[in-house]
């Protein structure tokens, strides 16, 4: 069914349904539920109309029932067409098919059967209580998860049914002698005679039918609107989880998603900070096709990022051809330093495998360097309008300078002794002479990976 927003007299459309779909996840969620709803609606329609067809043949086992079977088949075709053109948002094609659906149903219920040989008063159709078949369309409309569609079905059904009743009353076939017979049967009870009059369209019942139908439609529209808001809330949470997954490991995302404002509080604790960089990448990129440069960066970043997440780290940011990762943010764990050291070792192994593939393809190797330090950091959101979770402090500066120092020392990675002590093991690293680090008063004890 269509999102029939254009059928309503709404002057301003500033509710959440109109604003939130600007987000990709909300739009995708609505589109996905729209498609699923259309599929369910078509299946429900086919099932309901099939049951109706069998019932009609059972109740009226004559050739004139073919007219109603043909109309039921047309309703199935309209439902299939609605599924084909269905999409999120306003669609004139869907609106036209929705109106055609209700119009076809009205004609099927109120227009005399052309295959019927015995003439009868047109108003006698109402004695069969045919209006209840409109509830099939209403129920199928609920499955499309559009509250505007439900309201449109209610309004259009009311207008079409009353218009059809007016046509039956004005243009329908009547038999005055039947009215006289009903009056003669109940001469002292005019109300009862009117009820048994085959020519009477019974306006009181017609208004009652459409009013009850409209009330049910409004109640269902409220229920669908509440469900739609749940879909949007779910999409918003999925978007937030996706944003978290860009920086944190899956296990950390699961924990953060269950806490209220886990990144909003400013705090300080010990964490491991890792810097990774490619030596000479600017010279490498100079003169090479942009696509080759980007593909090289993607291959490098993908391997480094996967190792950060595999060891429970946080991807703080990309730094051009390098990156900064932390272990122990936003929440500290007892083995942060050990996981950080293991991550550096795994990153080095991944770079060996990557360079082996590049040599096989005739490409130059990538020389990645690593610097790791463990110590106190400050965590919190920075910025005014656009907030960003940041890790600050001397530990960050020392880790960056250790990575830069790898070039002068001639090693792949430098890890501070404070990190190794907190990790409880060297994991293949060797002890190196103490190094003077800018900003640190005393020479720093370090471990290196050749």
């Amino acid at each position: 069914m269509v999102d029939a927003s254009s059928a309503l007299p709404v002057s301003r459309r500033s509710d959440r349904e109109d604003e939130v779909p600007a987000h990709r996840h909300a739009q995708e969620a609505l589109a996905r539920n729209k498609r699923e709803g259309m599929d369910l609606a078509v299946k429900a329609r086919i099932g309901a109309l099939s049951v109706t067809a069998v019932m009609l043949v059972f109740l009226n086992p004559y050739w004139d029932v073919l007219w109603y079977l043909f109309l039921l088949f047309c309703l199935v075709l309209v439902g299939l067409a609605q599924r084909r053109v269905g999409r999120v948002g306003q669609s004139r094609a869907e609106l036209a098919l929705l109106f055609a659906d209700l119009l076809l149903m009205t004609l099927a219920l109120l227009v005399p059967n052309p295959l019927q040989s015995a003439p009868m008063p047109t108003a006698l159709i109402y004695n069969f209580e045919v209006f209840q078949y409109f509830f099939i369309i209403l129920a199928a409309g609920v499955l499309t998860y559009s509250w505007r569609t439900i309201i449109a079905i209610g309004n259009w059904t009311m207008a079409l049914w009353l218009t059809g009743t007016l046509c039956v009353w004005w243009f329908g076939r009547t038999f005055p002698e039947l009215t006289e017979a009903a009056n003669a049967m109940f001469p002292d009870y005019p109300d009862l005679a009117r009820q048994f009059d085959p020519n009477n369209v019974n306006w009181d019942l017609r208004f009652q039918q459409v009013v009850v139908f409209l009330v049910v439609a409004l109640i269902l529209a409220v229920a669908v609107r509440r469900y739609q808001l749940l879909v949007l809330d779910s999409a918003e949470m999925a978007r937030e989880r996706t944003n978290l997954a860009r920086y944190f490991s899956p296990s950390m995302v699961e924990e953060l998603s269950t806490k209220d404002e886990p990144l909003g509080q400013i705090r300080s604790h010990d964490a491991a900070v890792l810097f990774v960089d490619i030596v000479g990448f600017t010279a490498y990129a100079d003169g090479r096709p942009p696509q080759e440069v980007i593909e090289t960066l993607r291959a490098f970043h993908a391997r480094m990022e996967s190792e950060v997440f595999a060891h429970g780290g946080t991807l703080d940011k990309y730094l051009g051809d390098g990156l900064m990762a932390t272990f122990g943010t936003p929440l500290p764990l007892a083995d942060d330093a050990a996981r950080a050291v293991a991550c550096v070792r795994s990153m080095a192994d991944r770079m060996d495998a990557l360079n082996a593939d590049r040599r096989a393809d005739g490409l130059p190797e990538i020389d990645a360097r690593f610097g790791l330090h463990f110590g106190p950091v400050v965590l919190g959101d920075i910025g005014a309008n656009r907030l960003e979770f940041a890790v600050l402090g001397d530990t960050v500066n020392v880790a960056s300078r250790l990575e830069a120092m790898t070039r002068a020392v001639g090693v792949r990675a430098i890890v501070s002794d404070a990190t190794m002590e907190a990790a409880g093991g060297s994991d293949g690293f060797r002890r190196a002479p103490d190094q003077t680090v800018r900003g640190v008063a005393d020479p720093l004890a370090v471990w290196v990976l050749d």
Side-chain angles (χ1 to χ4, degrees):
M1 295 292 180
V2 63
D3 185 354
S5 57
S6 60
L8 299 178
V10 181
S11 59
R12 293 186 60 188
R13 301 178 60 200
S14 59
D15 59 359
R16 287 189 59 197
E17 183 186 9
D18 302 312
E19 294 177 353
V20 176
H23 297 303
R24 177 173 58 86
H25 287 283
Q27 187 70 24
E28 291 176 353
L30 288 178
R32 182 176 62 255
N33 280 272
K34 176 79 171 186
R35 290 191 300 269
E36 294 174 355
M38 293 297 295
D39 291 339
L40 287 174
V42 169
K43 293 177 182 178
R45 173 188 291 252
I46 294 176
L49 295 179
S50 298
V51 172
T52 302
V54 173
M55 181 185 64
L56 289 177
V57 172
F58 178 78
L59 296 177
N60 184 28
Y62 303 101
W63 286 108
D64 57 5
V65 77
L66 293 176
W67 168 250
Y68 299 108
L69 297 181
F70 169 74
L71 294 175
L72 292 178
F73 179 71
C74 291
L75 288 173
V76 171
L77 294 181
V78 172
L80 293 174
Q82 289 175 338
R83 178 179 178 272
R84 185 176 183 83
V85 303
R87 64 177 178 82
V88 175
Q90 298 185 35
S91 171
R92 292 184 179 180
E94 284 189 86
L95 286 173
L97 287 173
L98 176 60
F99 185 81
D101 207 18
L102 297 172
L103 179 61
L104 180 61
M105 178 68 80
T106 304
L107 295 177
L109 298 179
L110 296 184
V111 173
N113 188 345
L115 301 181
Q116 196 172 38
S117 57
M120 66 175 185
T122 307
L124 191 61
I125 295 174
Y126 293 112
N127 289 350
F128 302 124
E129 297 296 335
V130 292
F131 183 81
Q132 59 192 342
Y133 291 103
F134 277 103
F135 284 93
I136 295 177
I137 295 181
L138 182 63
V142 172
L143 296 176
T144 64
Y145 310 125
S146 172
W147 63 275
R148 289 188 172 94
T149 296
I150 306 304
I151 294 179
I153 291 176
N155 290 334
W156 288 351
T157 297
M158 179 179 65
L160 288 171
W161 187 249
L162 293 180
T163 300
T165 301
L166 182 63
C167 292
V168 169
W169 176 74
W170 188 263
F171 301 106
R173 179 190 297 131
T174 60
F175 293 83
E177 62 273 17
L178 295 179
T179 300
E180 295 175 0
N183 292 332
M185 186 180 301
F186 303 100
D188 298 327
Y189 303 94
D191 292 338
L192 190 59
R194 187 165 54 253
Q195 292 293 330
F196 282 90
D197 182 5
N199 297 311
N200 182 25
V201 299
N202 205 333
W203 282 99
D204 293 343
L205 287 180
R206 304 294 80 80
F207 279 114
Q208 179 178 309
Q209 287 172 334
V210 295
V211 168
V212 171
F213 187 85
L214 187 59
V215 169
V216 173
L218 291 175
I219 295 174
L220 291 176
V222 172
V224 169
R225 177 58 172 166
R226 287 173 56 85
Y227 176 82
Q228 191 179 66
L229 292 177
L230 290 176
V231 171
L232 295 177
D233 288 340
S234 176
E236 187 68 15
M237 288 188 292
R239 182 176 69 90
E240 293 172 355
R241 289 177 65 91
T242 299
N243 289 336
L244 289 174
R246 294 170 56 194
Y247 304 101
F248 303 115
S249 63
S251 59
M252 185 64 71
V253 170
E254 185 66 27
E255 184 169 353
L256 292 176
S257 63
T258 62
K259 298 180 180 296
D260 295 330
E261 298 184 2
L263 308 181
Q265 297 178 352
I266 299 175
R267 56 197 180 278
S268 176
H269 59 249
D270 288 343
V273 180
L274 169 64
F275 278 86
V276 185
D277 191 28
I278 299 177
V279 176
F281 188 78
T282 302
Y284 167 84
D286 188 22
R288 295 184 180 273
Q291 183 176 0
E292 179 182 341
V293 174
I294 295 300
E295 288 178 354
T296 300
L297 276 179
R298 286 176 177 172
F300 170 71
H301 284 154
R303 287 161 173 78
M304 300 300 99
E305 174 187 302
S306 65
E307 291 302 326
V308 171
F309 290 159
H311 291 83
T314 298
L315 179 60
D316 188 273
K317 61 173 69 70
Y318 285 115
L319 304 168
D321 57 336
L323 59 89
M324 171 185 168
T326 57
F327 298 80
T329 62
L331 304 174
L333 297 174
D335 61 342
D336 290 330
R339 287 184 288 106
V341 173
C343 181
V344 172
R345 185 67 188 180
S346 297
M347 284 180 168
D349 293 339
R350 292 293 296 273
M351 290 307 304
D352 290 339
L354 175 61
N355 284 325
D357 293 339
R358 292 180 64 82
R359 286 195 301 270
D361 295 336
L363 298 173
E365 297 184 12
I366 297 176
D367 185 9
R369 304 295 177 92
F370 310 90
L372 177 62
H373 184 46
F374 181 81
V377 295
V378 177
L379 305 92
D381 290 333
I382 61 174
N385 296 322
R386 182 183 180 276
L387 297 179
E388 178 180 346
F389 180 71
V391 180
L392 308 171
D394 288 338
T395 299
V396 178
N397 298 330
V398 172
S400 177
R401 289 162 187 164
L402 289 178
E403 184 277 319
M405 191 181 296
T406 58
R407 295 153 178 79
V409 179
V411 294
R412 301 176 66 180
I414 298 181
V415 178
S416 66
D417 186 63
T419 307
M420 285 300 184
E421 184 178 352
S426 61
D427 193 26
F429 289 78
R430 66 176 177 85
R431 185 73 163 81
D434 294 353
Q435 300 293 321
T436 300
V437 179
R438 182 167 55 89
V440 179
D442 301 322
L444 193 67
V446 298
W447 296 71
V448 298
L449 181 66
D450 295 318

